[in-house]
Amino acid sequence: MTVHYTRVGEGPPLLLLHATLSSSRQLRTLASRLARQRTVVSVDRRGSGESANEGPAGPIDVAVHVADLLEVMDAEAIARPAVVGHSYGGCVALELAARRPNHVGPLFVYEPPYAPVASPAVRAGMDAVGRRTLEARDRGDLAEAALVFMEGVSGPAVVEALSPGARARIGRAGQGAVADATLSGMEPEGLGRISSPVRIATGGASHPLYREIAEGLQARIPAADQVSLPGLDHMAPVLQPDRVALAVEEFLQP
């Protein structure tokens, strides 16, 4: 097996995919909540967590992540799992469903930064974050790359407020920032092939760009809808897992 993953719970299968600068470990509480009704398989994507050393020390095409998930599904004998993805994990979930529509069930994606459906201004901003992240990598400093990425996504005040321990933890996720920073290989023209129900969730306290992207995705995915979760921000799957789990369970209930 190329990538690391964990399995918890019993019942219908669910794949859980983490954000950039994160790993399955940070979604452990969310996984345990969802595992009350399902078998949850939490994957560390290439470049992140226990899979940090898998793949090249550079951007990873989303097709590679899709292939890894299919390998995990084969290894675990999982058929048509539900898929829950946070941030870039949501982008990967959408690409999996678009490229292999018969292999997955319903998708719940929380604030995927799916740049190709955003406005030119938003796309330019995301491109700039990716470029600065790779420039830091090219200077030989993966820890700086991680902090540059975080600053580009969350703003300098968030980085300045990090405790020394949090700064060190983020710095260790530099390979994941580099892997995801350029949003490589996404194919928006394939979104129309998604046949499963899709719920695109945004937080009421998040940056408006995520709502803009959600609207762009809904316009392209036949069975997609949106939900806004009041008071939540981009890190809600990590910091407020109970509320996110409830929203997922409401979506997935028969």
Side-chain angles (χ1 to χ4, degrees):
M1 178 56 59
T2 304
V3 296
H4 174 83
Y5 64 91
T6 59
R7 177 173 178 156
V8 62
E10 296 292 338
L14 183 150
L15 287 178
L16 184 58
L17 307 178
H18 62 82
T20 306
L21 297 181
S22 186
S23 69
S24 63
R25 182 179 180 86
Q26 283 198 297
L27 293 181
R28 187 165 52 188
T29 302
L30 178 59
S32 69
R33 300 296 188 270
L34 296 173
R36 292 178 294 198
Q37 301 178 12
R38 292 180 173 266
T39 299
V40 179
V41 176
S42 302
V43 180
D44 278 350
R45 295 184 290 101
R46 285 189 197 231
S48 299
E50 296 296 319
S51 305
N53 295 323
E54 299 296 338
I60 295 177
D61 194 285
V62 70
V64 176
H65 293 304
V66 168
D68 288 339
L69 294 178
L70 293 171
E71 184 180 2
V72 171
M73 290 164 61
D74 285 344
E76 291 295 309
I78 293 173
R80 293 187 62 82
V83 188
V84 175
H86 176 205
S87 194
Y88 188 65
C91 294
V92 175
L94 292 168
E95 287 294 327
L96 171 64
R99 298 171 192 226
R100 296 296 184 95
N102 296 325
H103 283 62
V104 300
L107 278 71
F108 183 100
V109 292
Y110 188 85
E111 298 194 339
Y114 200 99
V117 305
S119 66
V122 169
R123 292 200 305 271
M126 290 183 172
D127 288 345
V129 172
R131 183 175 63 253
R132 292 195 298 270
T133 300
L134 295 186
E135 288 170 353
R137 184 279 310 268
D138 292 342
R139 292 192 291 270
D141 194 336
L142 282 176
E144 181 191 358
L147 294 169
V148 165
F149 180 88
M150 186 175 191
E151 179 176 312
V153 172
S154 302
V158 172
V159 174
E160 291 171 4
L162 290 172
S163 67
R167 181 176 288 267
R169 181 187 65 76
I170 294 297
R172 290 193 293 271
Q175 184 57 52
V178 169
D180 297 349
T182 59
L183 306 171
S184 299
M186 290 191 287
E187 298 178 350
E189 64 276 7
L191 294 172
R193 295 194 295 267
I194 298 177
S195 56
S196 300
V198 177
R199 178 150 296 169
I200 308 157
T202 55
S206 289
H207 195 288
L209 72 87
Y210 293 111
R211 177 65 64 84
E212 175 188 319
I213 290 172
E215 291 171 353
L217 289 169
Q218 185 178 8
R220 290 165 173 80
I221 300 171
D225 64 17
Q226 290 187 59
V227 63
S228 178
L229 304 179
L232 300 190
D233 64 14
H234 190 62
M235 291 306 294
V238 176
L239 300 178
Q240 295 181 279
D242 287 334
R243 290 195 55 194
V244 175
L246 179 60
V248 172
E249 289 166 352
E250 290 175 346
F251 171 59
L252 295 178
Q253 65 185 2

